Amino acid sequence: MARHARYDRKTALEKAVGLFWEKGYHGSSMKQIEQALDMRPGSIYATFGSKDGLFSEALAAYAEQGGRELAVHLKGFDSVVEGLQDYLRRIACSCGDEDAAPSRACMIVKTLLESSNTHPALADQANSILAAIEQSIAELLEQAKVKGELVQSVDSRRLARLLQAQIMGLRSMGERNLDPQIMCDLGDDMAAILDGYRTQH
């Protein structure tokens, strides 16, 4: 049986995400990609077309996984706001855990910063993903307004952009290897932002 036949696209992408998330596009050599995926160069090119093609699919898979995780998390809460607050705290605490993920920094943001001047197509993809995430957060905030959890004067798009900026900054702070409790405290501070927009009952 051919070596690459043991692997489907999903398995290969999961391994590619781990490598690219940790090392980035430029930090991942073809030899490292071959070893991580346990695939020969010909199989990689036949499946994904190029290193750029593999990275693009891995980035999309990373973003889709993040979206699924948020959706599953929110199902555990009756309150949209409380679900988002807990999610922010979880992100913060995971950024302080060096074993929680291949990298504390967000793969999407790392791609945007790394590729802006070298691979415009990948940078554009990262920017489009971030815009979609911002839209998703804005829609969740609109749901919270409809449920009476947030004051009606809230600009959901603007607040979503603020929260995204906080998350991006928090994930970058994780690269400083700060004490885990400091990161968790920052998560509490981020969650408190939403308290300023909640309705009073």
Side-chain angles (χ1 to χ4, degrees):
M1 180 180 294
R3 185 183 183 188
H4 67 82
R6 301 198 310 269
Y7 298 91
D8 58 24
R9 181 179 290 271
K10 182 175 181 295
T11 300
L13 282 175
E14 288 172 353
K15 293 181 178 181
V17 166
L19 176 65
F20 288 134
W21 188 0
E22 178 185 3
K23 298 184 178 298
Y25 177 90
H26 293 295
S28 302
S29 67
M30 278 307 300
K31 180 58 67 177
Q32 290 171 321
I33 292 171
E34 293 167 26
Q35 292 174 344
L37 276 60
D38 193 19
M39 293 173 67
R40 294 171 180 164
S43 299
I44 294 173
Y45 286 110
T47 305
F48 300 102
S50 64
K51 178 182 176 181
D52 283 15
L54 172 61
F55 188 93
S56 178
E57 289 199 38
L59 185 63
Y62 171 90
E64 290 168 4
Q65 178 62 30
R68 287 193 296 269
E69 289 175 356
L70 174 58
V72 170
H73 182 81
L74 291 177
K75 285 183 179 179
F77 294 83
D78 292 329
S79 164
V80 175
V81 172
E82 290 177 5
L84 282 172
Q85 288 177 314
D86 191 70
Y87 185 71
L88 293 172
R89 294 187 185 99
R90 286 186 59 181
I91 290 176
C93 291
S94 68
C95 286
D97 181 0
E98 62 182 15
D99 298 321
S103 172
R104 295 184 179 93
C106 171
M107 181 178 171
I108 304 166
V109 176
K110 287 177 72 172
T111 301
L112 183 63
L113 297 176
E114 181 185 33
S115 303
S116 293
N117 296 319
T118 58
H119 289 75
L122 294 178
D124 288 346
Q125 181 184 1
N127 197 29
S128 294
I129 291 171
L130 289 171
I133 293 172
E134 179 189 311
Q135 175 64 27
S136 296
I137 296 173
E139 290 172 358
L140 288 170
L141 294 173
E142 279 295 313
Q143 292 176 26
K145 285 174 63 175
V146 171
K147 295 178 67 175
E149 297 180 41
L150 296 176
V151 295
Q152 292 302 304
S153 60
V154 170
D155 183 334
S156 297
R157 172 69 72 178
R158 184 173 180 177
L159 181 54
R161 193 172 296 122
L162 172 62
L163 292 175
Q164 185 176 60
Q166 294 290 326
I167 293 170
M168 291 168 67
L170 183 69
R171 289 189 180 278
S172 297
M173 285 286 286
E175 293 292 294
R176 292 183 57 195
N177 296 318
L178 297 175
D179 184 274
Q181 187 57 53
I182 291 177
M183 298 305 299
C184 288
D185 289 344
L186 284 172
D188 289 335
D189 294 338
M190 284 177 56
I193 292 174
L194 284 169
D195 286 331
Y197 300 90
R198 299 192 72 168
T199 53
Q200 301 297 318
H201 295 288

